[in-house]
Amino acid sequence: MSIILSQRSLSRLDEAHPDLRKVAIHAARISDLDFTVLEVLRTIERQRELFAKGATRTMKSRHLAHPADGKARAMDLAPMIGGAVSWDWPLYHRLANIVKRAALAVGVPIEWGGGWRTFKDGPHWQLPWAQYP
């Protein structure tokens, strides 16, 4: 089982911290569910726009460029069905199992926004603040 990430997804992963990229690449290798990388690095303007729309609750997003290396510590992944992004929650749970297995296999701690108690964010994956300040 494996999927092939599109060139667009791979280009977006170039904006991610190398450990986050490692997780996504390994997830594609072990996945039987097609997925895409929706977003990695955000400008502060994009973050303000999402905050104003209520699509995020923070201006301290892990999607913003880290001052040390300019890379994001978060990525948004979405399952694809028939070549189109799906917003069906059961698919996000299925993808979560794949990404968690990939993170474990490559030894990278990861947090899923879909597992948060409030403001569930199914596409969101980030490196933990404690290990990646």
Side-chain angles (χ1 to χ4, degrees), residues 2-74:
S2 98
I3 65 153
I4 298 172
L5 290 172
S6 70
Q7 189 55 51
R8 185 175 72 185
S9 286
L10 292 171
S11 293
R12 288 176 178 161
L13 286 174
D14 286 341
E15 303 169 337
H17 183 282
D19 286 352
L20 200 59
R21 180 181 169 84
K22 207 182 321 183
V23 171
I25 297 296
H26 192 72
R29 282 189 195 121
I30 65 170
S31 185
D32 62 347
L33 175 65
D34 194 13
F35 66 89
T36 188
V37 180
L38 294 173
E39 189 170 34
V40 176
L41 191 63
R42 287 185 190 152
T43 63
I44 192 69
E45 293 80 15
R46 170 98 171 116
Q47 190 66 24
R48 281 190 192 112
E49 173 189 317
L50 293 170
F51 186 81
K53 290 190 327 189
T56 184
R57 292 189 179 169
T58 185
M59 287 302 297
K60 270 184 71 176
S61 174
R62 302 293 276 167
H63 285 281
L64 297 173
H66 193 278
D69 59 13
K71 302 287 186 179
R73 292 339 190 227

Side-chain angles (χ1 to χ4, degrees), residues 47-125:
Q47 190 66 24
R48 281 190 192 112
E49 173 189 317
L50 293 170
F51 186 81
K53 290 190 327 189
T56 184
R57 292 189 179 169
T58 185
M59 287 302 297
K60 270 184 71 176
S61 174
R62 302 293 276 167
H63 285 281
L64 297 173
H66 193 278
D69 59 13
K71 302 287 186 179
R73 292 339 190 227
M75 62 183 172
D76 291 339
L77 306 178
M80 303 278 289
I81 300 296
V85 169
S86 174
W87 300 105
D88 186 26
W89 262 98
L91 290 174
Y92 283 87
H93 285 281
R94 188 170 149 204
L95 182 57
N97 289 332
I98 294 163
V99 176
K100 288 174 185 178
R101 279 196 339 263
L104 189 61
V106 297
V108 174
I110 198 153
E111 296 174 348
W112 179 41
W116 293 338
R117 281 184 237 160
T118 60
F119 197 72
K120 300 227 182 249
D121 188 352
H124 186 83
W125 292 91

